Amino acid sequence: MDFEAQSERFIGHAIIAFADSCTRPKLTASCPFYRVEGGTPTCDEECRAIAEQLGYRDRPVESHDFGGLRLTGRAIPLAATAGYQVFDANRTYLQDRHLEPSEQSTTTLLLGVQARITAAVLGQNEQAESDLGYFWEELEKRKFPVRQAAGAGLALTLARSVVSLISRPRMETLGLIRSNQDSTSTLAESWQPVLDGVRMQLTNDHDRDVQSKALALPNWIRGLVNSEVVIQRIQHDEELRHVFSPAVVYPLSNWFGGLLREGVFQSVRNRIPSVDLFRSLAKVGYSDKLGSWFWDRHTQTRLEDWQTTSYALEWNWQKFQESHGLPRHFLNERAIDSEQIASASMARTMGDHGRMAESVGFSNAIGIAVQYLREGNPRAAADLFSGITELQPANADSWNNLGFCQLAFDPSAALRSFGIAAAFRSNENQLLTANHLLALHVLGRDEEAALLIRAEIYDDPTLPEAYVWEHRNCGEPLKLGSTKDVSTYLRMTGSHIREMLDSR
């Protein structure tokens, strides 16, 4: 090959490598086609047009002999402008969530949409809904198919969130979960005509097989300490069995999926369909294969958590560069080995066929937060757990940890966090109770705290060593400590509150 041909081939490879490494949100500022519109970096992907003019539409297909095998695939540059980083959606979100939307990655924006729309539906954050628009609009400005992706990724999540709220009064009455001060009876009453209409349809049509299928329970119920007992009680209660049945949850997912697909994302909690409309919705979960792939690729770190259909679409992208209309710079934000896709697909074929329970992925969060607390920076520790509760809005432990950090500087906020933590527990947790007592005491609400103090506190040897706040004298700052005996710590906190009440 002469020098001119080699030079042309080199330029073609270089352009493809440059284009593959150029990703949102910042793109590559040194590119001559780089420009900023409305505060957001953008371009028209001129690099790919140039590559096509040179005859390089995609990365070249190459074959190599290796260990007696003939391997064929598309050439991948060993290094590129943006370098290589291991993809971790949750970590990316926690690191970048305070940036302006125009500076956030696609992953952070999508998880921001998920966090805010879920918090709005659960009623956990009054500001969430107003902030939601900024993230949604930024994704649309970048021409990311947010309607399609959010519909596929969030439809079932929102459906399960709503039935969690609708079922709460009944579950509290049966003692399956602890009572929460924030009443959801109004929402339950608003949905009652729809639920009654569905139940009537099932009775009229004798469609009992749908009702008898496995319940579509939210993950937080399956994560309860005594989940087996709670689920058994749900199965034997006609009202709860109906609320959590596929006949309610799956049409509800189609309702929310349809709203998001049409770009309707505000006030979704209060958008209630008519009985006839709800009856007409599909009795299978909302499905959009392309939308699921767009969502999984940008928000699901573990391939095991992808939808099965996403594997095939990812394989087509890996092997045949089939982007299915998604601009390539979005796909270039994450590099995935095709062998990993093949392995995950094979494992799914041999085992589970649905989306697995969401992974935690925050194993080192406690250590990082404790370091912040030891350094006298409880706000940074609280900010870490605030981000985690946005990603896991129904995780009692995360809300308890957030409240623990907030106790050092904002006991009112801590009290609210402990209340949410208690709402997602079916049994009493001594550490959460102790934290709750301390928050009320610091706020001067000892009479309310006394109502939570049990006459007899049993030792619980199953509780691990825990970090606690030492409160020796009223008016003094809390001091970080630890205890191997949470039961004794709870007794001491209760005794201190009783002494304060008796001394008045």
Side-chain angles (χ1 to χ4, degrees):
M1 183 181 298
D2 59 29
F3 180 79
E4 183 175 347
Q6 288 179 321
S7 299
E8 183 176 311
R9 183 168 181 266
F10 172 80
I11 293 173
H13 282 224
I15 292 175
I16 293 296
F18 188 90
D20 282 351
S21 68
C22 186
T23 58
R24 301 272 186 183
K26 296 184 178 180
L27 299 181
T28 304
S30 59
C31 175
F33 300 107
Y34 172 93
R35 67 180 187 276
V36 177
E37 292 182 357
T40 301
T42 187
C43 71
D44 293 322
E45 298 193 8
E46 290 88 348
C47 55
R48 297 199 177 278
I50 295 173
E52 290 181 14
Q53 291 176 4
L54 295 175
Y56 292 90
R57 182 177 180 83
D58 298 301
R59 292 195 299 269
V61 175
E62 296 184 353
S63 297
H64 299 277
D65 292 319
F66 182 80
L69 299 176
R70 184 74 170 173
L71 302 182
T72 301
R74 295 194 178 275
I76 300 177
L78 295 178
T81 305
Y84 176 77
Q85 294 182 336
V86 175
F87 179 82
D88 187 323
N90 291 339
R91 182 179 62 188
T92 298
Y93 178 76
L94 293 176
Q95 289 176 343
D96 299 344
R97 66 193 181 96
H98 291 310
L99 297 175
E100 290 296 321
S102 61
E103 297 179 2
Q104 293 183 11
S105 66
T106 307
T107 291
T108 303
L109 290 171
L110 287 173
L111 290 178
V113 167
Q114 172 184 280
R116 281 152 185 80
I117 198 169
T118 306
V121 168
L122 291 173
Q124 293 177 344
N125 187 343
E126 296 179 358
Q127 185 68 24
E129 192 148 18
S130 59
D131 291 343
L132 174 60
Y134 297 115
F135 296 86
W136 191 281
E137 291 166 7
E138 177 62 27
L139 286 162
E140 289 195 325
K141 185 188 299 182
R142 297 182 187 183
K143 296 181 174 56
F144 182 85
V146 58
R147 299 183 180 192
Q148 191 173 8
L154 297 177
L156 187 56
T157 297
L158 296 181
R160 285 173 168 163
S161 297
V162 166
V163 295
S164 294
L165 294 177
I166 294 174
S167 64
R168 176 166 290 281
R170 178 62 177 171
M171 293 185 71
E172 289 179 357
T173 299
L174 296 177
L176 300 182
I177 56 176
R178 298 182 64 184
S179 178
N180 185 18
Q181 295 178 353
D182 296 328
S183 174
T184 56
S185 58
T186 303
L187 186 68
E189 292 172 1
S190 300
W191 277 92
Q192 198 59 50
V194 177
L195 298 177
D196 291 343
V198 174
R199 183 185 286 111
M200 186 180 302
Q201 181 187 37
L202 290 174
T203 303
N204 292 342
D205 296 341
H206 301 286
D207 196 11
R208 302 181 187 276
D209 60 321
V210 176
Q211 188 80 309
S212 64
K213 290 181 180 178
L215 300 179
L217 295 172
N219 288 334
W220 70 269
I221 291 181
R222 298 187 183 279
L224 294 173
V225 174
N226 58 338
S227 60
E228 292 184 4
V229 175
V230 173
I231 293 173
Q232 188 176 36
R233 293 282 302 279
I234 290 174
Q235 290 173 330
H236 286 84
D237 184 85
E238 182 181 355
E239 181 178 335
L240 292 177
R241 188 172 66 247
H242 177 59
V243 171
F244 289 118
S245 72
V248 171
V249 177
Y250 290 159
L252 192 55
S253 75
N254 282 283
W255 170 247
F256 285 121
L259 288 177
L260 295 175
R261 182 64 183 261
E262 294 301 317
V264 179
F265 57 87
Q266 300 285 12
S267 302
V268 292
R269 168 177 167 150
N270 299 317
R271 294 182 184 273
I272 302 176
S274 66
V275 174
D276 290 337
L277 176 57
F278 195 83
R279 285 176 171 179
S280 69
L281 297 172
K283 300 300 187 292
V284 294
Y286 180 82
S287 177
D288 183 325
K289 295 179 181 179
L290 282 178
S292 293
W293 180 48
F294 298 159
W295 181 265
D296 288 343
R297 208 176 193 283
H298 287 88
T299 67
Q300 299 298 319
T301 302
R302 303 192 322 161
L303 297 181
E304 294 92 331
D305 296 333
W306 284 28
Q307 292 285 1
T308 304
T309 54
S310 295
Y311 295 143
L313 293 170
E314 179 64 26
W315 183 263
N316 287 338
W317 162 247
Q318 294 280 349
K319 293 300 182 182
F320 309 112
Q321 298 291 287
E322 178 54 64
S323 66
H324 296 282
L326 184 66
R328 293 170 183 263
H329 53 260
F330 291 117
L331 292 165
N332 293 335
E333 290 186 25
R334 180 179 186 180
I336 305 175
D337 191 295
S338 58
E339 291 185 5
Q340 293 178 324
I341 292 294
S343 298
S345 179
M346 180 65 70
R348 177 67 57 79
T349 301
M350 297 175 65
D352 180 59
H353 292 272
R355 185 185 295 280
M356 298 173 63
E358 58 181 341
S359 56
V360 178
F362 304 111
S363 57
N364 62 338
I366 296 291
I368 296 173
V370 169
Q371 185 61 35
Y372 281 134
L373 293 174
R374 286 174 175 168
E375 294 171 354
N377 192 359
R379 293 181 183 274
D383 182 70
L384 172 62
F385 283 114
S386 177
I388 293 175
T389 58
E390 290 176 7
L391 295 171
Q392 299 181 332
N395 187 291
D397 290 334
S398 295
W399 282 105
N400 179 53
N401 291 335
L402 171 60
F404 179 80
C405 299
Q406 291 171 327
L407 258 175
F409 63 91
D410 190 347
S412 295
L415 189 62
R416 178 178 176 277
S417 296
F418 294 141
I420 296 175
F424 289 109
R425 282 193 179 279
S426 58
N427 61 328
E428 182 182 7
N429 177 276
Q430 291 188 355
L431 184 59
L432 173 58
T433 301
N435 288 335
H436 203 157
L437 287 174
L438 184 57
L440 287 169
H441 174 59
V442 171
L443 289 169
R445 296 161 61 176
D446 289 340
E447 290 81 4
E448 294 177 56
L451 298 176
L452 299 177
I453 301 175
R454 289 181 175 272
E456 187 174 1
I457 299 174
Y458 297 94
D459 290 330
D460 187 349
T462 65
L463 292 174
E465 181 176 0
Y467 289 97
V468 296
W469 288 116
E470 296 178 357
H471 179 65
R472 297 174 181 174
N473 297 298
C474 294
E476 294 183 2
L478 300 176
K479 182 180 179 181
L480 185 67
S482 63
T483 180
K484 295 181 179 179
D485 190 348
V486 174
S487 302
T488 298
Y489 175 75
L490 176 57
R491 291 191 192 95
M492 293 174 60
T493 304
S495 297
H496 175 71
I497 292 173
R498 285 198 186 96
E499 290 175 1
M500 295 300 299
L501 286 173
D502 294 340
S503 66
R504 294 177 182 174

